[in-house]
């Protein structure tokens, strides 16, 4: 072993013994000159290590490709896809349209029952006859006897969307208004 390493091991051993037994610590009784010498040696050793680090070549580390995240399912995306498919102006899909209308009707009945503090039957009657809202497009969405307003029919023709889509959008907006308590 190198003499410096041996001296270091001995110094650490004496230090540990002095920490464990006060008698050894009292026997050593370092003077201020010894303590100063130990401090200077510590500073010299620190400067030596710092200078040794200065001459080293620095290499950059390449972190590699980041891990790709699996796409998470967005809540309601299946319903959005279903609405887009059902509300398209393409013919067919009557059963899907009816099922979606029934689901939205259930939500509207619940919202009207809570808002007006009435029974489910009274709320269902209000939704079916169109008195649940002042929006004619939302009213016509559930009431098959009521025609959509002329502006909705013209807009559907010009923009290439179905009247069903406009009625669905109006019904959902009206339910949100009722649930939010906005006037």
């Amino acid at each position: 072993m190198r003499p410096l390493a041996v001296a270091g091991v001995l110094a650490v051993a004496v230090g540990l013994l002095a920490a464990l037994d006060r008698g050894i610590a009292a026997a050593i009784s370092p003077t201020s000159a010894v303590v100063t010498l130990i401090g200077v040696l510590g500073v010299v050793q620190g400067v030596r290590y710092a200078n040794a680090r200065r001459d080293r070549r620095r290499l950059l580390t390449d972190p590699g490709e980041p891990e790709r995240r699996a796409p998470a399912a967005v809540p309601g995306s299946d319903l959005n896809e279903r609405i887009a498919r059902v509300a398209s102006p393409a013919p067919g899909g009557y059963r899907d349209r009816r099922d979606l209308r029934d689901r939205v009707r259930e939500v509207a009945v619940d919202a009207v029952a809570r808002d007006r503090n009435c029974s489910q039957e009274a709320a269902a009657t209000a939704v079916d006859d169109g008195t649940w809202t002042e929006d004619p497009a939302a009213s016509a969405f559930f009431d098959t006897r009521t025609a959509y307003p002329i502006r909705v029919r013209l807009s559907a023709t010009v923009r290439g969307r179905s009247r069903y889509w406009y009625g669905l959008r109006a019904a959902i907006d009206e339910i949100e208004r009722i649930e939010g308590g906005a006037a």
Side-chain angles (χ1 to χ4, degrees):
M1 270 178 106
R2 295 164 135 185
L4 214 55
V6 171
V9 169
L10 287 175
V12 169
V14 170
L16 285 175
L17 286 173
L20 294 175
D21 187 9
R22 292 190 126 166
I24 295 175
I28 295 174
S29 181
T31 62
S32 62
V34 173
V35 172
T36 304
L37 180 66
I38 292 172
V40 169
L41 287 175
V43 169
V44 168
Q45 190 65 7
V47 169
R48 198 183 102 197
Y49 280 128
N51 280 335
R53 295 268 313 166
R54 214 191 280 176
D55 295 333
R56 290 206 178 144
R57 216 177 83 197
R58 294 184 181 139
L59 299 174
L60 295 176
T61 304
D62 182 22
E65 269 306 300
E67 184 177 318
R68 301 284 179 207
R69 286 190 248 165
V74 177
S77 63
D78 58 334
L79 182 61
N80 288 341
E81 291 171 8
R82 187 173 178 190
I83 289 172
R85 185 178 63 247
V86 181
S88 69
Y94 176 76
R95 184 182 327 135
D96 288 336
R97 288 181 184 192
R98 187 185 65 226
D99 291 344
L100 186 58
R101 180 175 293 157
D102 290 343
R103 283 180 61 188
V104 174
R105 181 184 173 279
E106 289 174 18
V107 174
V109 167
D110 290 341
V112 169
R114 279 191 300 275
D115 184 54
R116 295 184 182 177
N117 197 19
C118 63
S119 67
Q120 291 284 327
E121 293 79 22
T125 302
V127 168
D128 289 338
D129 66 15
T131 59
W132 72 288
T133 180
E134 304 222 353
D135 185 350
S139 175
F141 183 70
F142 296 119
D143 184 12
T144 57
R145 298 168 304 206
T146 305
Y148 283 99
I150 190 75
R151 67 175 172 77
V152 171
R153 288 184 277 174
L154 286 173
S155 183
T157 303
V158 170
R159 293 188 176 156
R161 289 204 166 139
S162 68
R163 285 178 272 178
Y164 181 91
W165 185 87
Y166 283 99
L168 177 64
R169 185 77 253 156
I172 290 173
D173 289 344
E174 186 64 19
I175 291 169
E176 286 177 354
R177 186 194 66 76
I178 290 172
E179 289 291 327

